[in-house]
């Protein structure tokens, strides 16, 4: 079988071209733009468009949406030029029906975010997860925090004493992006434990909430190359 050996990295919540280019030139695979107005990382679609125009090739441009309507998402896609959709929201809003409708109109990869307390084998028996995984490119695991949507900055718990099954690990390596509280201090441990398809970092490369720092971006991406 064809084994996937490369782990991808997305730098999320980009608002400035200098941060986007720094991430791109230092090896990020994807840049994330947050179109959720209540987020400190919110960017106007017109501003995202100007950044996307200047990005080099072979970088995914990910739009992050929180409980936004199909029409809003499609409108932002057409305005900005993003090529990947990341959905954060409730199962009531972003359900099977919604994803099927979205896929029929926009044929882009979809990252579906699930907020969980900890990663365990039990999660992979979840009925909704098993239905949704057939419809989307990736599942993103973010830490459940009832007070915040779209990135909590808190780390997902994992139990070192309770290893995951081969089946769960195989799914994680092919399909799962891990987010939430990842930083230069814990990223190696998370990667070694899970070997995920990808990781998604935002607050871990900020000097203050919503403000990215090029030195932190460079340092973080250089650690992943070692």
């Amino acid at each position: 079988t064809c084994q996937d050996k490369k782990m991808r990295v997305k730098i999320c919540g980009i608002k400035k071209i200098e941060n986007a280019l720094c991430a791109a030139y230092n090896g990020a695979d994807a840049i994330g733009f947050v179109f959720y107005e209540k987020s400190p990382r919110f960017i106007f679609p017109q501003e995202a468009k100007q950044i996307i125009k200047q990005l080099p090739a072979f970088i995914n441009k990910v739009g992050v949406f929180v409980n936004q309507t199909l029409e809003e998402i499609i409108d932002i896609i057409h305005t900005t030029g993003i090529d990947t959709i990341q959905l954060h929201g409730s199962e009531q809003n972003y359900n099977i029906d919604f994803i099927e409708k979205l896929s029929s109109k926009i044929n882009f990869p979809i990252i579906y975010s699930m907020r969980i307390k900890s990663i365990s084998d039990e999660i992979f028996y979840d009925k909704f997860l098993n239905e949704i995984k057939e419809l989307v490119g990736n599942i993103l695991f973010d830490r459940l925090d009832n007070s915040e949507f779209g990135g909590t900055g808190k780390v997902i718990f994992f139990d070192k004493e309770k290893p995951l099954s081969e089946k769960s690990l195989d799914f994680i390596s092919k399909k799962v992006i891990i987010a939430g509280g990842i930083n230069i201090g814990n990223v190696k441990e998370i990667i070694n434990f899970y070997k995920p398809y990808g990781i998604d970092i935002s607050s871990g490369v900020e000097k203050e909430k919503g403000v990215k720092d090029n030195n932190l971006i460079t340092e973080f991406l250089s650690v992943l190359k070692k």
Side-chain angles (χ1 to χ4, degrees):
T1 58
C2 199
Q3 283 299 96
D4 187 356
K5 298 291 185 196
K6 182 182 187 301
M7 197 208 60
R8 282 89 175 160
V9 185
K10 169 170 160 266
I11 307 285
C12 198
I14 290 284
K15 296 199 286 187
K16 293 186 172 171
I17 182 63
E18 56 265 33
N19 299 143
L21 291 174
C22 177
Y25 294 143
N26 281 285
D29 301 282
I31 306 280
F33 301 94
V34 177
F35 299 114
Y36 175 51
E37 288 186 10
K38 290 181 183 169
S39 169
R41 301 172 185 98
F42 169 72
I43 186 169
F44 287 101
Q46 277 305 126
E47 292 173 358
K49 176 186 180 178
Q50 296 309 317
I51 293 173
I52 285 168
K53 267 186 191 170
Q54 298 174 70
L55 284 175
F58 310 142
I59 300 274
N60 277 97
K61 283 77 73 177
V62 184
V64 178
F65 301 96
V66 179
N67 288 327
Q68 280 145 293
T69 65
L70 197 64
E71 291 69 30
E72 283 176 300
I73 292 172
I74 290 167
D75 191 41
I76 288 171
I77 287 168
H78 290 323
T79 301
T80 57
I82 62 165
D83 57 23
T84 306
I85 299 162
Q86 184 169 320
L87 299 176
H88 286 255
S90 65
E91 284 178 25
Q92 286 79 22
N93 289 323
Y94 291 158
N95 51 25
I96 304 290
D97 184 48
F98 183 92
I99 288 166
E100 285 176 339
K101 277 188 189 145
L102 179 59
S103 300
S104 72
K105 294 186 185 299
I106 303 282
N107 195 21
F108 284 172
I110 295 173
I111 300 165
Y112 191 91
S113 305
M114 298 187 82
R115 288 151 23 105
I116 58 176
K117 280 210 169 79
S118 63
I119 297 177
S120 64
D121 285 331
E122 287 71 36
I123 283 165
F124 301 100
Y125 299 120
D126 180 81
K127 183 173 178 285
F128 184 70
L129 171 64
N130 281 299
E131 286 176 349
I132 218 110
K133 74 180 186 191
E134 305 301 325
L135 301 175
V136 301
N138 295 91
I139 301 287
L140 181 141
F141 286 152
D142 197 358
R143 168 78 187 277
L144 179 65
D145 182 330
N146 294 328
S147 65
E148 283 191 68
F149 251 123
T152 63
K154 292 183 178 145
V155 185
I156 285 177
F157 295 116
F158 53 94
D159 187 348
K160 292 178 192 170
E161 305 304 313
K162 199 177 168 193
L164 295 165
S165 70
E166 282 299 315
K167 192 178 174 191
S168 297
L169 288 169
D170 185 57
F171 183 79
I172 289 171
S173 73
K174 291 190 170 82
K175 204 92 171 171
V176 170
I177 298 163
I178 295 178
I182 294 173
N183 58 47
I184 200 164
N186 62 20
V187 67
K188 284 288 202 185
E189 190 178 22
I190 289 167
I191 291 167
N192 292 338
F193 196 80
Y194 292 119
K195 300 181 175 58
Y197 173 84
I199 55 164
D200 190 334
I201 183 169
S202 187
S203 61
V205 287
E206 291 179 349
K207 57 184 174 187
E208 55 187 87
K209 204 164 192 177
V211 183
K212 295 288 182 283
D213 182 281
N214 278 358
N215 290 331
L216 292 174
I217 291 170
T218 306
E219 195 183 357
F220 180 80
L221 291 167
S222 71
V223 161
L224 296 185
K225 292 173 188 169
K226 286 172 187 168

